[in-house]
Structures are given as C-alpha cells and as structure tokens.
Amino acid sequence: MENQNTLTITDNRTGKTYTIPFTGGCIRTMDLRQIKKDEADFGVMGYDPAFMNTASCRSAITFIDGDKGILRYRGYPIEELAERCTFLEVAWLLINGELPTPEELKSWEGSIKHHTMLHETTKTFLEGFRYDAHPMAMLISTVAALSTVYKDAHDIFNKDVRRLQMTRLIAKVPTIAAYCYRHSLGYPYVYPDNDLSYTENFMNMLWKMVEPKYHANPVMARALDILFILHADHEQNCSANVMRSVGSSQADPYVSLAAAAAALSGPLHGGANEAVLKMLDEIGSKDKVPAYIERVKKGEVKLMGFGHRIYKNYDPRARIIKWTADRVFEITGRNPKLDIALELERIALEDEYFVKRKLYPNVDFYSGIIYQAMGFKPEMFTVLFAIPRTVGWLAQWEEMLLDPEQKIARPRQMYVGHDVRHAPEKTASAMLSATA
Ligand code: MLT
C-alpha cells in the first residue's frame, strides 16, 4: 500500500503526478521545486505574503491552539504558570525547556541581579537623547548600543558566551526601560537594588524618589510579574520572526534584539494597547458603547484590541489580565475605562457580527487599562511589553542558531516588474558634461 503520509499532486500543465511527504503535518515547499513545466522551468514556489500559511521553523518553545484559545510555554498552560510561578522561573523555562530546580532558580536570580547595572557610558549615551524622545525609540537604540560595550557578543556559537549575553540582556533591559522613563520625566536615574525581586527592582528604578529604600506594593509587584509572564513569548509573532531573521545572518544578540524591539514598536504589534486606550477615550462613557459598535459595523471606525491573527477564540492572556486588573484596582481605585471596556466586550461577544467574524478580546484589550492604572503613560506600554518579550526573543534566537536546518533567512519573490529594457544610448561628451 502507498505511504499514506504523503500528498499526491497532479500538475495539469504536464499531466505528471508527484508524491510529496508530510513532515509534522506540513509539506516542505522545497519539495514543490521538482514540479516543472519543462526542464528549463525553475519549479513551483509557494507564494505567501505575510506568512499566512507558512511555518518558518520547527519550535519546541510555545504552543498555541488559536481555535481553542490555548497557550502553553514548553507544554505548561499559561494559566498555571501565571498562577504558580514567578517571571524569572518562566524565563528559565522558556530558555532551558524545564522549570528550574530550587538551586537553579537561586543561581539564576543571582546571575540576573549581578548583571542589572549599566555601564556608565551607556548611561551617558542615554543622556544624549532629547527630553521628549519616545521611550521605545530610546530603548531600541540603547539596546543596540550595548553591542559596543560587549565585544565578546559576536561569539554566538560558544554556549557560555551566548548565555552570558542572554543573562545580560534579561537583566539590563528593565534598567534601560526604567532609565528611558526617568529620562522622559527629567528625573535622575535610580541604580538597581539587588535586595529586591526582578519586578520590585524595576518598580524601584521607575518610582523611587528621595526615600532611602523603595518598598514595592506586593500586589502591584505580583501583578507586573504576571503581566510579564503573559507577554514573555508568543511563538512566531512579527518581532520573534525579526529576531530569528536578523539573527540568522549571525549578527550579535544586541543588534538582533534591537531589531526585534523595533518590530514590536509598531501599532499593529506591541503598540496596539495604546490604540485601545485612545478608542476608550473616544467612546467616553459606557452609554455611548452601542453607538460606537454600530459605527464599527458600518466600517467607520475600528474595534481595537479585538481579533488576532492566530486566536479565533478568547485570547487566554486577556482573561488572566482581566483577573489581574481587578486585583490592581483594589489598590489603585477603578480605572473608569474598565467599565467602557467591559460593556464593549459584553456587547461584542453577543453580537452576531463579531461572533461570526470570531472577533474576541486579545491581550492588548485590557493591558493598557491596567498599565494606566499603575501610573504608566501610554508611551511606556510598548517598553513594558519589550521587557518580558526579551526572554522570548532570546529563546527563539538560540533555538534558531542551534537548529541544523536553519540558514540565513532569505525569502524568494514573484518578480512583477519590467522584462529587460535598455537605457537610451548617450554620446561620450554628453556623459562627460552630465558628470562634470
Ligand atoms: C504577541 O504577543 O506577540 C501578539 O499577540 C502578536 C502575535 O502573536 O502575532
């Protein structure tokens, strides 16, 4: 009997039939190349703008079932990780594949603390930005500038050197993020306090003023830790794809990560929660939600924070953020935007128009509201996303580097321009006068 784990394709141009094996539910598009009209033909390629149906790698890091609304890191459901782990435990898990033992966790936390400081030249570099520079632009440039400090970083196939850079990045990105925030307010920078946990120390660097020791509110610190867990990785999203793509040229991790952060800064990626807040401001109050929904249906405005390329069900992260928001609001007081958001969600989840289109709230729908309640300005939201996503980018980068099937990322194209044509001939003297 014929191997059933294959796909049979008949090329109607030639009448020839090809048998192509499945690899983990996919076919290799390189196998299509053998399908040719004639000997001179290049062979069939896949055309897939925006990678709508192309797996660019095999990955063992993050699993998503978008139809069922399932998200797992290394096999662990996101709900359990958010409830039972700290961000640094999850970071270790994403990078190493297993949750840390108590000894591993202790040494991991110690290494991160050891690397939280920035070189003073990096601090000076940051000071060069204008007072009103966007914090995300500062973060991207400063992460790239770390490449000038750590010259060993290019030695990416040496595991110890590579892991050192990964530790440095996970430790230093919160410090850079906090300095960008303080810079935009004109406040002096606060050095890391290694008595504190990862998120407490971040809060210390953001908000410490003249008090001798910063004491983070434990509910807020845990909420931030949960938000970091939820944002740590999301398989082959736009910025992870950039990290892998830039990294595939064997560029060092600092410049690769800066490129990934640049991808995150776009409003269609990490900037989406800022757009949700703007929309909630525009709606103004709960009673105006039905009218806004009607405008969405007429195509006049967009419903921000709803729908996702992969999820055709409730984004599991949104549910956890909503739960976390309730804990934060017990401390900060209720953000009035929450009532508008809840009403928007209630109507949209019942309305045939949205149900048919499988438009459910995504992670960005509630994250902006909670960040605002914590005291962050919208410009900081993407920076807050970049801190935990640093771990995901690094895990994806290392997996790519160690994958023997990966090479420099180099897509093909369908050329749709002119066939060969010729520039008008000119005399030698005309050329001389043109260049003189
Ligand atoms: C993410 O977390 O990266 C976003 O939900 C975007 C995505 O997965 O495409």
Side-chain angles (χ1 to χ4, degrees), residues 51-91:
F51 304 115
M52 297 291 286
N53 193 36
T54 295
S56 63
C57 60
R58 294 177 193 239
S59 182
I61 302 171
T62 291
F63 171 81
I64 302 177
D65 182 330
D67 291 328
K68 298 200 181 105
I70 294 174
L71 169 62
R72 296 182 199 133
Y73 296 159
R74 301 283 188 184
Y76 292 102
I78 191 69
E79 295 79 4
E80 289 178 21
L81 295 173
E83 192 184 323
R84 303 177 193 167
C85 297
T86 64
F87 171 68
L88 281 186
E89 283 177 284
V90 171

Side-chain angles (χ1 to χ4, degrees), residues 56 195 241 328 336 382 407:
S56 63
D195 290 343
N241 181 54
V328 168
T382 333
K407 294 182 167 53

Side-chain angles (χ1 to χ4, degrees), residues 32-58:
L32 300 176
R33 279 283 187 86
Q34 59 186 301
I35 306 175
K36 294 180 179 199
K37 249 186 330 201
D38 50 46
E39 261 322 295
D41 187 14
F42 181 76
V44 171
M45 287 194 299
Y47 173 57
D48 188 12
F51 304 115
M52 297 291 286
N53 193 36
T54 295
S56 63
C57 60
R58 294 177 193 239

Side-chain angles (χ1 to χ4, degrees), residues 231-243:
H231 286 91
D233 192 51
H234 212 235
E235 51 118 306
Q236 304 314 310
N237 58 83
C238 174
S239 54
N241 181 54
V242 168
M243 183 79 197

Side-chain angles (χ1 to χ4, degrees), residues 90-399:
V90 171
W92 176 275
L93 169 73
L94 283 166
I95 289 169
N96 296 293
E98 297 297 336
L99 282 165
T101 62
E103 297 74 40
E104 283 168 338
L105 182 61
K106 198 160 171 257
S107 125
W108 173 233
E109 287 172 345
S111 311
I112 294 291
K113 282 183 180 166
H114 182 76
H115 288 288
T116 46
M117 295 277 278
L118 296 182
H119 195 279
E120 285 296 294
T121 55
T122 308
K123 212 180 85 180
T124 321
F125 176 85
L126 257 162
E127 271 157 17
F129 289 112
R130 279 180 61 114
Y131 68 97
D132 59 351
H134 194 288
M136 192 59 179
M138 288 194 264
L139 179 99
I140 294 165
S141 323
T142 312
V143 168
L146 291 182
S147 168
T148 65
V149 182
Y150 304 110
K151 306 252 179 51
D152 51 342
H154 65 270
D155 198 3
I156 52 177
F157 291 108
N158 176 328
K159 184 172 178 190
D160 292 340
V161 175
R162 186 173 66 239
R163 286 295 174 106
L164 174 61
Q165 315 314 321
M166 291 166 76
T167 307
R168 279 178 174 151
L169 273 160
I170 296 167
K172 289 180 201 306
V173 166
T175 314
I176 298 175
Y179 281 19
C180 294
Y181 173 76
R182 306 273 301 194
H183 183 83
S184 62
L185 295 173
Y187 292 168
Y189 304 137
V190 176
Y191 284 102
D193 179 343
N194 287 349
D195 290 343
L196 303 175
S197 75
Y198 191 76
T199 33
E200 285 169 343
N201 175 47
F202 178 53
M203 291 163 77
N204 157 67
M205 294 186 293
L206 288 168
W207 292 317
K208 182 171 182 290
M209 294 309 276
V210 290
E211 66 275 36
K213 181 102 185 153
Y214 181 81
H215 296 286
N217 179 302
V219 175
M220 299 276 267
R222 180 65 190 141
L224 206 52
D225 215 49
I226 293 175
L227 285 161
F228 282 1
I229 292 171
L230 302 180
H231 286 91
D233 192 51
H234 212 235
E235 51 118 306
Q236 304 314 310
N237 58 83
C238 174
S239 54
N241 181 54
V242 168
M243 183 79 197
R244 281 178 173 261
S245 194
V246 176
S248 77
S249 75
Q250 301 185 0
D252 78 47
Y254 299 103
V255 292
S256 303
L257 203 127
L264 185 73
S265 72
L268 295 187
H269 193 0
N273 48 13
E274 201 176 325
V276 172
L277 277 198
K278 281 196 191 124
M279 173 186 76
L280 297 176
D281 275 338
E282 194 188 321
I283 297 174
S285 59
K286 196 173 149 185
D287 56 305
K288 303 220 175 84
V289 170
Y292 192 83
I293 293 269
E294 286 315 307
R295 289 182 65 207
V296 173
K297 289 202 229 168
K298 283 189 203 142
E300 290 173 10
V301 284
K302 276 198 170 167
L303 186 56
M304 304 308 296
F306 269 69
H308 191 279
R309 172 76 68 83
I310 306 292
Y311 291 117
K312 301 299 163 215
N313 202 321
Y314 210 99
D315 181 335
R317 300 169 297 176
R319 195 169 284 121
I320 306 170
I321 295 195
K322 211 166 140 184
W323 178 89
T324 313
D326 286 335
R327 311 282 93 72
V328 168
F329 295 149
E330 280 166 19
I331 311 286
T332 61
R334 207 174 159 86
N335 183 336
K337 290 197 184 72
L338 184 69
D339 295 322
I340 308 175
L342 287 171
E343 182 66 356
L344 207 52
E345 180 187 324
R346 189 189 66 75
I347 300 185
L349 291 184
E350 283 171 2
D351 193 305
E352 176 69 8
Y353 176 93
F354 299 98
V355 175
K356 226 169 67 198
R357 287 169 176 76
K358 300 195 172 162
L359 292 173
Y360 293 89
N362 61 40
V363 70
D364 306 306
F365 191 62
Y366 287 108
S367 62
I369 302 178
I370 190 167
Y371 286 143
Q372 194 179 50
M374 285 177 162
F376 291 106
K377 291 212 192 97
E379 302 86 81
M380 271 301 281
F381 294 174
T382 333
V383 172
L384 293 167
F385 195 155
I387 297 172
R389 190 51 66 86
T390 293
V391 171
W393 290 328
L394 291 169
Q396 298 282 346
W397 171 72
E398 185 173 63
E399 186 177 63

